[in-house]
Amino acid sequence: GKTPSEEYKRLWETITSGGIWRGELCNKKKNGELYWESVSISPIKDSKNIITHFIAIKEDITERKQAEERIRQLAYYDPLTGLPNRVLYNDRLSLALAHAQRTGETLAVLFLDLDRFKDINDTLGHSIGDQLLKAVAERLTDSLRKEDTATRQGGDEFTLLLPGMTQAEDAARVAQKILEAVRKPLTLGGHELNITTSIGVALYPADGEDGETLLKNVDTAMYHAKELGRNNYQFFTPALHVKTVEQLEMESSMHHALERKEFVVYYQPQVDIKTGRIVSSEALVRWQHPSRGIISPLEFISMAERTGLIVPIGEWVLRAACAENKALQDTGLPPLQVAVNLSARQFQQENLVEMVEQALEETGLDARFLVLEVTESTAMHNVENTAYKMERLNAFGVHFVIDDLGTGYSSLSYLKTFPIHALKIDRSFVQDVASDSNDAAIVTAVISMAKGLGLKVVAEGVETVAQLEFLRSRGCDEAQGYLFSKPMPAEEFKKMLEQDKRLRA
Ligand code: C2E
Ligand code: MG
Ligand code: MG
């Protein structure tokens, strides 16, 4: 805009030459407070056409000005963190690109997504989530130079714009600094939180000459950082682009996989640690891809979640598991439970209860032989709705297990508000139970608390005799893992049951 002195100069020029001046002026009250006026000044001339005096009409528009400023804030800034928003960011990005083009400078774009933010938000509540986002915004701002821009893109996503980078190492150094700043422990509402972030880095002009390409590529780089286990940064590379294209192809072939009957269910036995006998199994989906062979759910479940395909795929798995379990019982083998994983997205389905009841009816499996596995974060997402659906299914005879226990943030006693029968300790804790005293302490505590709550405990990913011995000594009820058996097709599982294979250790 114009500076005040320019404004006054124009005012005087206009009115002394006989014109009417209209404008807005900022003045100071006697007490020093600033106020805004809308002013119109008209020269009054005598009969000889000479200006004798001026008439000024003034209106205090301070409130309107404040409202305008507020609107500007809302339009360009994120109300929660006070950082520039997407709109202002795009503006600054195009300015910075134009500047970099003229000067031949390198520009870095960083894209951050907090790790497991959703879990924190779901389990500790939105108010803690909001405070966390504010704290992260502050840490980002503190890590940047004044010529850099940090913006909140929405949710738990932030973008940084760093002009004047002379080489990739400069951007790497900033990314490293930010990783460290974000992961400093933080206490909010009495909870100590260890938040980490995954960062993608893209450079102008190497990774894109326009804003759109840069943002697309930095997004790809960020996903790569997530895949590599979070809490790290990754530069965009052309190979990543190829991978993204492959994923898009996989996504489209997944759309046909159900009708082409490419999914199969494998079963992994769960054994009673005391008797060594198989007492149930977990149904684990596999995709027999026509050209890529067997694909693990780790590779496609998250994509199926994103696209919503998990709903029909999950329903198919449930039906297959019920039907195959019923077929096993019909051969005269002792009846076993089968555990089926339910994703968060399935839980949000309006008709989940009816769908499960219908699958049981149509396959003829008695409800008490079906166990549904849900993760902590699924349970904690929209607690009332989840609890209600669980109660209804539980009344029907279906059992529930909390899967991957220890990877979320909820307290065990809180989980007891759900009608659950068992806890499944996550593989990552079982893995080091015999060598890491910390994990040993956690597992011991979980088992004893579960006992106190009257819940059964299943350990997942048991691979060694040492792990099994530890679990046995702490009173863990059941074990599932490679030590006893890998997941296998229904036919093989049936043979194993016929041979009455036992766990000996
Ligand atoms: P999960 O429910 O925690 O399943 C346990 C995973 O641990 C399985 O991997 C199993 O093969 C693996 N595992 C079992 N014992 C061992 C062991 O001793 N060592 C090691 N290293 N791994 C072991 P899988 O079959 O690849 O499944 C991975 C995840 O995919 C599952 O984790 C589950 O979250 C998801 N998933 C699988 N099938 C389905 C499904 O039908 N629906 C949904 N929604 N998710 C599924
Ligand atoms: Mg599971
Ligand atoms: Mg699990």
Side-chain angles (χ1 to χ4, degrees):
K2 284 182 261 2
T3 63
S5 61
E6 276 177 86
E7 194 76 15
Y8 278 104
K9 208 172 134 221
R10 265 191 6 110
L11 186 165
W12 279 110
E13 276 168 13
T14 309
I15 58 178
T16 50
S17 62
I20 300 174
W21 185 88
R22 285 192 190 86
E24 292 173 355
L25 295 173
C26 186
N27 284 319
K28 205 179 267 180
K29 288 188 191 165
K30 287 213 179 73
N31 64 8
E33 214 175 285
L34 291 179
Y35 68 101
W36 279 92
E37 285 180 326
S38 166
V39 183
S40 135
I41 305 178
S42 321
I44 305 294
K45 297 169 188 168
D46 64 12
S47 55
K48 290 179 200 114
N49 218 16
I50 291 179
I51 299 173
T52 54
H53 51 284
F54 301 99
I55 292 181
I57 299 170
K58 297 177 171 187
E59 184 193 355
D60 187 329
I61 54 161
T62 309
E63 262 175 44
R64 197 192 84 205
K65 276 284 178 192
Q66 284 167 348
E68 279 172 8
E69 174 58 20
R70 175 106 192 86
I71 291 166
R72 202 180 68 85
Q73 277 283 337
L74 286 174
Y76 295 115
Y77 292 86
D78 166 44
L80 179 69
T81 60
L83 293 179
N85 68 10
R86 194 193 291 264
V87 178
L88 185 53
Y89 178 78
N90 287 340
D91 218 50
R92 295 213 179 147
L93 179 60
S94 33
L95 283 178
L97 283 172
H99 180 80
Q101 200 170 21
R102 275 198 312 276
T103 58
E105 255 176 30
T106 297
L107 185 76
V109 176
L110 272 61
F111 181 51
L112 281 84
D113 185 289
L114 301 183
D115 300 329
R116 302 188 181 283
F117 176 74
K118 206 179 145 302
D119 286 349
I120 295 181
N121 218 24
D122 289 348
T123 55
L124 300 181
H126 292 260
S127 144
I128 299 261
D130 282 356
Q131 292 177 51
L132 178 61
L133 291 172
K134 277 196 206 171
V136 169
E138 265 168 40
R139 290 174 175 193
L140 290 180
T141 318
D142 290 346
S143 313
L144 297 179
R145 307 163 302 173
K146 68 171 190 326
E147 59 267 40
D148 302 331
T149 305
T151 55
R152 176 159 173 241
Q153 294 288 103
D156 60 340
E157 296 174 349
F158 297 87
T159 313
L160 311 180
L161 180 62
L162 315 173
M165 299 273 114
T166 46
Q167 47 187 352
E169 283 77 32
D170 294 341
R173 215 167 296 123
V174 178
Q176 185 58 40
K177 193 169 158 196
I178 285 167
L179 283 179
E180 282 159 21
V182 171
R183 75 171 163 234
K184 280 196 221 111
L186 182 72
T187 308
L188 288 178
H191 303 273
E192 167 144 344
L193 300 176
N194 289 292
I195 184 87
T196 57
T197 184
S198 301
I199 307 178
V201 186
L203 302 174
Y204 166 88
D207 303 329
E209 302 204 2
D210 57 89
E212 202 180 322
T213 312
L214 278 172
L215 292 180
K216 196 178 91 230
N217 290 343
V218 79
D219 189 74
T220 303
M222 192 282 289
Y223 271 104
H224 188 52
K226 290 266 182 208
E227 281 171 3
L228 292 181
R230 308 182 171 102
N231 189 22
N232 73 103
Y233 67 86
Q234 292 299 319
F235 277 86
F236 175 77
T237 63
L240 279 182
H241 175 70
V242 173
K243 217 177 131 212
T244 309
V245 171
E246 277 173 3
Q247 287 198 331
L248 286 175
E249 281 168 5
M250 186 151 124
E251 198 178 304
S252 81
S253 64
M254 192 157 50
H255 278 277
H256 305 291
L258 260 185
E259 58 199 65
R260 292 181 187 154
K261 300 190 170 30
E262 290 171 5
F263 292 109
V264 276
V265 182
Y266 275 33
Y267 296 90
Q268 187 176 32
Q270 289 176 10
V271 293
D272 182 316
I273 293 183
K274 283 206 194 77
T275 65
R277 289 193 116 119
I278 300 175
V279 286
S280 63
S281 69
E282 178 173 7
L284 295 158
V285 68
R286 300 288 180 263
W287 179 8
Q288 284 179 316
H289 194 276
S291 58
R292 297 182 47 184
I294 289 202
I295 306 182
S296 140
L298 296 174
E299 280 185 67
F300 69 84
I301 290 284
S302 61
M303 181 184 291
E305 291 247 9
R306 270 204 305 283
T307 56
L309 278 171
I310 191 66
V311 173
I313 295 174
E315 178 169 347
W316 180 86
V317 172
L318 178 79
R319 281 168 186 273
C322 291
E324 287 177 332
N325 194 25
K326 178 71 167 93
L328 271 183
Q329 296 184 358
D330 288 347
T331 64
L333 285 162
L336 302 179
Q337 284 192 320
V338 65
V340 177
N341 293 283
L342 274 196
S343 83
R345 187 96 175 220
Q346 283 177 281
F347 234 96
Q348 286 155 22
Q349 294 295 302
E350 214 54 71
N351 66 347
L352 175 83
V353 177
E354 291 74 16
M355 188 277 282
V356 174
E357 288 178 1
Q358 207 180 350
L360 287 166
E361 253 158 53
E362 285 175 20
T363 57
L365 183 72
D366 194 319
R368 70 197 152 101
F369 296 116
L370 177 64
V371 178
L372 296 176
E373 293 196 0
V374 297
T375 62
E376 283 179 84
S377 52
T378 300
M380 299 302 287
H381 182 85
N382 197 349
V383 172
E384 269 170 40
N385 177 43
T386 314
Y388 173 70
K389 286 178 179 166
M390 281 191 181
E391 292 292 356
R392 283 181 56 194
L393 283 167
N394 189 48
F396 201 69
V398 176
H399 286 191
F400 282 93
V401 171
I402 298 291
D403 200 0
D404 300 342
L405 191 87
T407 58
Y409 287 89
S410 39
S411 69
L412 279 183
S413 52
Y414 197 78
L415 288 175
K416 193 53 189 157
T417 55
F418 301 112
I420 51 179
H421 291 76
L423 302 177
K424 213 167 185 182
I425 302 177
D426 191 58
R427 193 166 78 229
S428 57
F429 293 100
V430 173
Q431 203 166 41
D432 297 324
V433 93
S435 56
D436 180 320
S437 58
N438 209 9
D439 285 354
I442 292 172
V443 170
T444 305
V446 166
I447 294 174
S448 74
M449 281 199 271
K451 299 266 133 165
L453 295 167
L455 300 173
K456 192 172 78 177
V457 187
V458 184
E460 172 182 276
V462 180
E463 293 182 356
T464 67
V465 174
Q467 290 162 355
L468 180 70
E469 283 317 316
F470 178 90
L471 293 162
R472 190 203 301 275
S473 73
R474 295 302 191 273
C476 179
D477 302 288
E478 292 176 16
Q480 173 183 350
Y482 296 172
L483 176 66
F484 185 73
S485 167
K486 288 198 170 183
M488 65 202 122
E491 226 8 71
E492 272 177 53
F493 182 51
K494 183 173 163 227
K495 284 194 196 116
M496 188 179 272
L497 288 173
E498 284 165 350
Q499 290 159 1
D500 192 18
K501 180 178 167 180
R502 309 271 179 96
L503 174 70
R504 290 173 223 285

